[in-house]
């Protein structure tokens, strides 16, 4: 690990200026923290250490290139043909129009709600309860800036998604329609990956519902207690989906989802699942974090958007401060906001 960190720090020194040109807004220290977190997340996702020069040379430059591309689109090359330049200009205008039409998240909550958030941060004891989930004063502090979210926050937010789905199964809400969504807690994934379907007794997790009658099944994924991502079984679109704000976790997630769905179908329907038409899905334009602590917030927002049938996300790294405070308000009031 010492060798790997040394080599990566050397790459960071060499590529920081390039990152700034691509639109990275943080300091060099922020960039170092991001790349350090990339190493941790990579090891958590792959389940193995990468200590050698060969290992580092294989995966890190690829991740670095993807990260730079996510900061912004490179500038067009100069001296392009006139017709090509015209096409670029028209596409830029179209993109600008789409940006103006696309819903934009606010910078802050309404004043009275901002005041409530500050009150909640000072409160002691249990902050809120919903279904079987509860959040304490220590848990809610995880939504302060630069804090990593825990299972309690993630699963409480999942319970809010389930609550809304049950209350508004057929009602339209702003920025999408509430789907028939079923949420499986973070502990489900831990059971699935450590014990498997049979030994983990996962059949009982769905004894009161028909998994295959849902529009979408939402699952938060904790990789090695170091990185959160979102997974989804999208029955409407026939997709096994992985959404990762570090653009790493895909193959292992898809494999686990496929094995789980087949085992569940064998258990409940007594025959193998028909995978015809199903695809693995991890969109390349998934919003990316540029630090080592916002993965849990990204994961919650991925899951919330997917519960409304949206997979073109309108949030970015810049929205994380607002979304953290929005989540405090939602947890304290035990309901999701429908006004952004």
């Amino acid at each position: 690990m010492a060798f790997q960190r040394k080599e990566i720090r050397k790459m960071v020194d060499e590529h920081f200026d390039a990152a700034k040109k691509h639109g990275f807004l943080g300091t060099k220290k922020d960039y170092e923290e991001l790349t350090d977190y990339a190493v941790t997340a990579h090891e958590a996702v792959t389940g193995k250490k990468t200590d050698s020069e060969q290992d580092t040379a294989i995966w890190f430059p690829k991740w670095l290139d993807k990260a730079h591309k996510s900061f912004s689109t490179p500038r067009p090359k100069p001296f392009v043909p006139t017709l090509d330049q015209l096409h670029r200009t028209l596409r830029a205008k179209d993109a600008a129009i789409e940006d103006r039409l696309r819903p934009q998240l606010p910078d802050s909550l309404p004043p009275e709600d901002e005041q409530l958030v500050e009150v909640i941060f000072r409160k002691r004891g249990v902050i809120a309860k919903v279904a079987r989930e509860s959040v304490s004063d220590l848990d809610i502090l995880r939504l302060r800036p630069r804090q990593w979210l825990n299972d309690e926050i993630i699963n409480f937010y999942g319970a809010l998604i389930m609550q809304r789905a049950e209350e508004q199964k057929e009602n339209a809400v702003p920025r999408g329609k509430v789907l028939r969504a079923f949420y499986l807690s973070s502990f489900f994934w831990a059971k699935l990956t450590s014990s498997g379907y049979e030994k983990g007794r996962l059949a009982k997790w769905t004894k009161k519902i028909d998994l295959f009658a849902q529009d979408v099944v939402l699952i938060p994924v904790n990789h090695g207690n170091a990185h959160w991502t979102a997974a989804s079984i999208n029955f409407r679109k026939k997709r096994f989906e992985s959404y990762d704000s570090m653009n790493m976790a895909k193959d292992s997630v898809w494999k686990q989802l496929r094995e789980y769905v087949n085992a569940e179908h064998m258990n409940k329907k007594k025959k193998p699942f028909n995978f015809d038409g199903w695809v693995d899905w991890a969109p390349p334009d998934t919003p990316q974090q540029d630090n080592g602590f916002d993965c849990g917030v990204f994961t919650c927002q991925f899951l919330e958007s997917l519960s409304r049938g949206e997979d073109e996300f309108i949030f970015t790294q810049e929205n994380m401060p607002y979304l953290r405070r929005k989540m405090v308000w939602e947890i304290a009031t035990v309901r999701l906001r429908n006004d952004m």
Side-chain angles (χ1 to χ4, degrees), residues 75-172:
R75 297 177 180 177
K77 295 181 179 179
F79 309 115
V80 293
T82 303
L83 183 59
D84 186 34
Q85 189 176 35
L86 176 60
H87 287 166
R88 288 173 182 266
T89 301
L90 291 175
R91 286 196 295 269
K93 288 182 178 180
D94 289 342
I97 292 173
E98 290 180 6
D99 286 341
R100 288 196 295 270
L101 294 177
R102 185 181 296 116
Q104 299 292 318
L105 293 176
D107 294 327
S108 62
L109 297 166
E112 62 274 17
D113 294 340
E114 287 286 354
Q115 292 176 8
L116 175 61
V117 169
E118 290 304 318
V119 170
I120 295 303
F121 276 136
R122 294 193 296 270
K123 187 177 178 180
R124 295 294 174 262
V126 176
I127 301 298
K129 294 182 179 180
V130 62
R132 297 181 179 180
E133 308 297 335
S134 67
V135 165
S136 71
D137 55 339
L138 295 179
D139 297 323
I140 205 71
L141 292 178
R142 299 290 189 125
L143 285 166
R144 287 281 197 186
R146 301 181 67 85
Q147 300 300 309
W148 208 74
L149 302 195
N150 60 7
D151 292 281
E152 285 73 18
I153 294 291
I154 300 282
N155 289 329
F156 195 101
Y157 209 70
L160 292 182
I161 292 172
M162 282 283 290
Q163 174 181 267
R164 183 178 63 184
E166 292 168 0
E167 292 175 349
Q168 304 183 39
K169 289 181 179 178
E170 300 301 329
N171 294 337

Side-chain angles (χ1 to χ4, degrees), residues 53-306:
E53 180 178 6
Q54 183 179 7
D55 288 336
T56 303
I58 291 174
W59 76 267
F60 189 73
K62 291 181 180 179
W63 174 83
L64 203 61
D65 182 59
K66 290 179 180 179
H68 285 189
K69 288 179 180 178
S70 74
F71 298 145
S72 74
T73 303
R75 297 177 180 177
K77 295 181 179 179
F79 309 115
V80 293
T82 303
L83 183 59
D84 186 34
Q85 189 176 35
L86 176 60
H87 287 166
R88 288 173 182 266
T89 301
L90 291 175
R91 286 196 295 269
K93 288 182 178 180
D94 289 342
I97 292 173
E98 290 180 6
D99 286 341
R100 288 196 295 270
L101 294 177
R102 185 181 296 116
Q104 299 292 318
L105 293 176
D107 294 327
S108 62
L109 297 166
E112 62 274 17
D113 294 340
E114 287 286 354
Q115 292 176 8
L116 175 61
V117 169
E118 290 304 318
V119 170
I120 295 303
F121 276 136
R122 294 193 296 270
K123 187 177 178 180
R124 295 294 174 262
V126 176
I127 301 298
K129 294 182 179 180
V130 62
R132 297 181 179 180
E133 308 297 335
S134 67
V135 165
S136 71
D137 55 339
L138 295 179
D139 297 323
I140 205 71
L141 292 178
R142 299 290 189 125
L143 285 166
R144 287 281 197 186
R146 301 181 67 85
Q147 300 300 309
W148 208 74
L149 302 195
N150 60 7
D151 292 281
E152 285 73 18
I153 294 291
I154 300 282
N155 289 329
F156 195 101
Y157 209 70
L160 292 182
I161 292 172
M162 282 283 290
Q163 174 181 267
R164 183 178 63 184
E166 292 168 0
E167 292 175 349
Q168 304 183 39
K169 289 181 179 178
E170 300 301 329
N171 294 337
V173 298
R175 295 192 295 123
K177 180 181 179 181
V178 175
L179 303 181
R180 290 191 302 272
F182 187 68
Y183 175 84
L184 290 167
S185 85
S186 60
F187 304 111
F188 167 85
W189 190 262
K191 284 275 189 181
L192 177 64
T193 54
S194 64
S195 303
Y197 186 86
E198 296 296 336
K199 290 184 179 180
R201 302 177 64 187
L202 296 183
K204 68 179 182 179
W205 287 65
T206 54
K207 64 182 180 181
K208 294 183 179 180
I209 67 109
D210 181 357
L211 190 82
F212 305 97
Q214 307 305 307
D215 290 325
V216 63
V217 178
L218 306 171
I219 311 168
V221 178
N222 186 326
H223 300 272
N225 202 32
H227 182 51
W228 287 107
T229 68
S232 168
I233 305 168
N234 193 326
F235 286 102
R236 290 199 315 157
K237 298 183 178 181
K238 288 190 173 183
R239 296 194 315 215
F240 294 104
E241 302 173 340
S242 177
Y243 299 93
D244 180 3
S245 57
M246 289 293 286
N247 201 18
M248 291 183 180
K250 293 183 293 186
D251 294 345
S252 60
V253 171
W254 293 330
K255 180 176 182 294
Q256 293 285 353
L257 292 179
R258 285 177 175 271
E259 291 178 356
Y260 166 68
V261 165
N262 194 59
E264 175 75 2
H265 203 268
M266 288 292 295
N267 181 276
K268 300 298 198 300
K269 309 294 184 181
K270 308 307 177 185
K271 61 181 180 180
F273 184 73
N274 182 3
F275 289 101
D276 288 350
W278 281 75
V279 298
D280 297 330
W281 181 256
D285 58 350
T286 299
Q288 299 291 288
Q289 67 189 91
D290 66 6
N291 56 48
F293 42 80
D294 276 332
C295 57
V297 183
F298 274 92
T299 294
C300 287
Q301 299 309 311
F302 291 146
L303 297 174
E304 191 280 324
S305 296
L306 294 170

